[in-house]
Amino acid sequence: MAALCNARPPEIWPTYTAPDCNIALLPPGYTHDSFEEAGALWKEEGLGKADPRLMLKPGDLTYMSTTSRVFSDWAPPEVSTSQKHEKQPLDRQSVERLLKPVVLSYLRSVEELSAESDAEQCSLSELLIRVRCSEEFPTDVRSHSALDQKRLIKANQKHAQQQASIVGHLEKRGLLDSKYAFIEFGSGKGELSVYVHAAAVAANPDTAPDSHVYLVDRKVFRQKFKADQQDNGVQKTQDHRDSSQQLERINIDIRDFDLASLEGLRATDPLTGNPVLRPIIAYSKHLCGGATDLTLKCLERYQQAGGHIAGVAIALCCHHACRYSMYVDHEYLSTAVASHSTESSQWSHDQRSDFRHLASMTGWAINLSPPVSPGSALEKDSEPAHYSGLSYAQRVCAGHAVKRFLDIGRVRFVRRQLGMDDAELVYYTLRTTSPENLALFATDLKD
């Protein structure tokens, strides 16, 4: 926080900054309402409008206005009690009303039910028996030699296995090519990108200087990953020493990121002399909740500007952090979550409320490992009553179904909006390695 308190906004914003350009659905009044009128809603949706222009006083920090929206994770000014959105607990009937259509949609998407079946007559408990946690999509755990040294050194293999599998999937799909620009969204310290760059250099030793990697994150990390440190598990090779010259950090919230305006992605067609955008590979290992949706919208804007997305590899996680305003496909959402709005492009307070409840239920899915089936011997006979009326194992299955429902909507968006017809969901690592073990992969290779 100390670093943020000393921050000052730049006099001129970078050319790739376009405020809120990747938000799928802005709340009504967002452009003109004041913080006092809608601050609570903005905060809940991750759209807080805190002002970074701080006037420092002895022992005090004071906001100078309520119109800027740079640091969205800061709390807004106090909102009157009458304006606060109180969370109302759900009763069992409301839980079934919310969950049943979502579970039905999920089961039909993974072909557990036919569209003509009489599943609507089944109870929620009967439907949950059909949920197959971590089994409904293919499992393909891969590896790559770029991480062999790290896997030998590290005692905790979790991150090494995840990173190795992502790099392995990029290799499998022919995406480790220096003709592409690599964009890591939610990059953190940048460790994954170091390995992606090393793998790309190894695959294309003659054209390695053309490979460039951009690390996108809204936070500034003081302890950036250093590829030449032995205790990080990376062998000190020429490939790794050169990587720092080709890794560029972009400190920006993805919601404001206009990728097509990034100078490094602009090029000139050698045949026509016309300006073009470089083809890109987008990837991430930890893109929490709504950040995944913001990234997909960012890619859509890049494509609309004339850019080509050759590949996508995003590990999906933290669905409890999904936000209604950011979710990429409200038309799909409306097929299972009721909305009083006739247009999927219109904000619905009721649908948003239901979405928030569903997002919170996704946390149930990671409470138990290995997954169990409702009614199995692993069920807890003495567990206390839960507000949902569901048993422990039933909640695990319900949470899993909601997570996969949201992910299926993302695949639908990639196929329909990005035109990447081979988009798929794959369990890229074992559940014993991480309960968040699903990834979205898509390719669109052009000559």
Side-chain angles (χ1 to χ4, degrees):
M1 178 59 74
L4 291 181
C5 292
N6 292 323
R8 293 294 184 274
E11 294 182 2
I12 301 177
W13 291 107
T15 56
Y16 49 77
T17 304
D20 299 318
C21 65
N22 296 318
I23 300 295
L25 193 61
L26 287 171
Y30 182 73
T31 58
H32 56 268
D33 281 355
S34 69
F35 232 3
E36 288 73 15
E37 294 172 316
L41 175 62
W42 293 344
K43 181 181 178 182
E44 290 169 357
E45 286 296 311
L47 302 174
K49 294 192 175 187
D51 197 317
R53 298 176 299 165
L54 300 176
M55 180 170 59
L56 301 180
K57 297 180 179 180
D60 189 22
L61 295 175
T62 305
Y63 287 102
M64 296 179 66
S65 74
T66 59
T67 57
S68 177
R69 27 82 39 238
V70 177
F71 295 135
S72 60
D73 52 350
W74 282 9
E78 284 297 322
V79 181
S80 64
T81 304
S82 62
Q83 293 171 320
K84 289 183 179 179
H85 298 260
E86 298 295 338
K87 293 183 179 180
Q88 298 296 330
L90 295 176
D91 54 27
R92 296 187 178 187
Q93 291 74 22
S94 297
V95 169
E96 179 147 356
R97 173 187 64 81
L98 279 177
L99 280 177
K100 185 175 178 179
V102 170
V103 176
L104 275 171
S105 176
Y106 155 76
L107 290 174
R108 284 180 174 146
S109 295
V110 298
E111 300 180 351
E112 285 293 307
L113 293 175
S114 65
E116 295 78 19
S117 70
D118 58 351
E120 286 81 359
Q121 308 305 320
C122 296
S123 67
L124 176 60
S125 297
E126 292 171 331
L127 292 175
L128 291 176
I129 294 175
R130 305 188 186 211
V131 175
R132 296 181 299 146
C133 296
S134 299
E135 297 178 5
E136 70 278 59
F137 303 115
T139 298
D140 187 3
V141 181
R142 306 192 75 82
S143 186
H144 195 279
S145 58
L147 285 100
D148 286 350
Q149 185 72 7
K150 177 178 180 179
R151 298 182 72 173
L152 287 174
I153 295 176
K154 288 291 185 180
N156 185 347
Q157 293 286 301
K158 173 182 175 180
H159 297 298
Q161 291 175 2
Q162 290 175 300
Q163 292 164 346
S165 188
I166 291 174
V167 177
H169 275 281
L170 292 176
E171 180 183 48
K172 172 189 175 182
R173 289 164 169 77
L175 300 176
L176 294 177
D177 195 313
S178 59
K179 68 182 178 182
Y180 301 126
F182 295 88
I183 319 290
E184 183 182 2
F185 290 87
S187 60
K189 295 181 179 181
E191 184 174 356
L192 175 60
S193 284
V194 169
Y195 296 118
V196 169
H197 180 266
V201 169
N204 309 270
D206 297 332
T207 58
D210 296 332
S211 178
H212 204 91
V213 183
Y214 296 91
L215 290 74
V216 181
D217 204 299
R218 70 177 181 177
K219 294 183 179 180
V220 178
F221 289 81
R222 292 181 176 180
Q223 296 180 345
K224 300 177 178 66
F225 180 75
K226 296 181 180 179
D228 60 349
Q229 291 183 353
Q230 287 291 335
D231 59 352
N232 280 327
V234 180
Q235 187 175 6
K236 188 174 181 179
T237 65
Q238 185 65 36
D239 293 344
H240 287 113
R241 287 198 299 270
D242 292 343
S243 66
S244 61
Q245 300 175 5
Q246 295 173 305
L247 270 64
E248 180 178 343
R249 292 185 175 272
I250 307 294
N251 297 121
I252 191 172
D253 193 315
I254 301 171
R255 83 192 227 199
D256 303 327
F257 189 26
D258 181 11
L259 186 58
S261 297
L262 188 61
E263 186 65 31
L265 297 181
R266 298 176 182 177
T268 302
D269 190 316
L271 298 177
T272 65
N274 296 327
V276 294
L277 293 171
R278 291 189 64 183
I280 65 169
I281 308 296
Y283 60 98
S284 181
K285 187 181 82 73
H286 197 86
L287 204 54
C288 292
T292 294
D293 301 303
L294 293 175
T295 296
L296 295 179
K297 291 296 289 185
C298 181
L299 297 179
E300 181 188 30
R301 284 178 57 86
Y302 187 73
Q303 191 179 76
Q304 291 172 346
H308 171 52
I309 303 162
V312 175
I314 298 176
L316 306 167
C317 68
C318 306
H319 297 72
H320 63 277
C322 289
R323 296 293 181 265
Y324 177 70
S325 61
M326 301 175 188
Y327 190 68
V328 289
D329 196 340
H330 287 82
E331 179 184 350
Y332 165 78
L333 189 65
S334 297
T335 62
V337 184
S339 171
H340 292 286
S341 173
T342 58
E343 298 289 337
S344 60
S345 60
Q346 293 182 358
W347 183 278
S348 169
H349 287 290
D350 293 317
Q351 188 179 52
R352 173 186 172 272
S353 177
D354 289 346
F355 185 90
R356 291 184 65 210
H357 285 300
L358 288 169
S360 69
M361 293 175 188
T362 62
W364 298 343
I366 60 174
N367 288 339
L368 191 64
S369 182
V372 301
S373 299
S376 70
L378 293 179
E379 280 268 44
K380 295 184 177 180
D381 297 330
S382 59
E383 64 174 311
H386 191 264
Y387 76 88
S388 65
L390 301 176
S391 68
Y392 191 63
Q394 285 176 328
R395 295 199 300 275
V396 172
C397 292
H400 179 87
V402 178
K403 287 168 72 73
R404 300 294 86 95
F405 168 78
L406 296 175
D407 293 333
I408 290 168
R410 289 162 168 169
V411 171
R412 180 179 184 266
F413 176 87
V414 172
R415 290 174 179 172
R416 295 179 56 165
Q417 301 303 120
L418 302 184
M420 306 177 80
D421 296 332
D422 74 338
E424 61 178 338
L425 296 172
V426 177
Y427 287 109
Y428 77 106
T429 191
L430 299 178
R431 185 181 174 90
T432 51
T433 301
S434 172
E436 300 281 28
N437 60 334
L438 190 72
L440 190 162
F441 296 106
T443 55
D444 183 15
L445 302 180
K446 294 182 179 179
D447 297 334

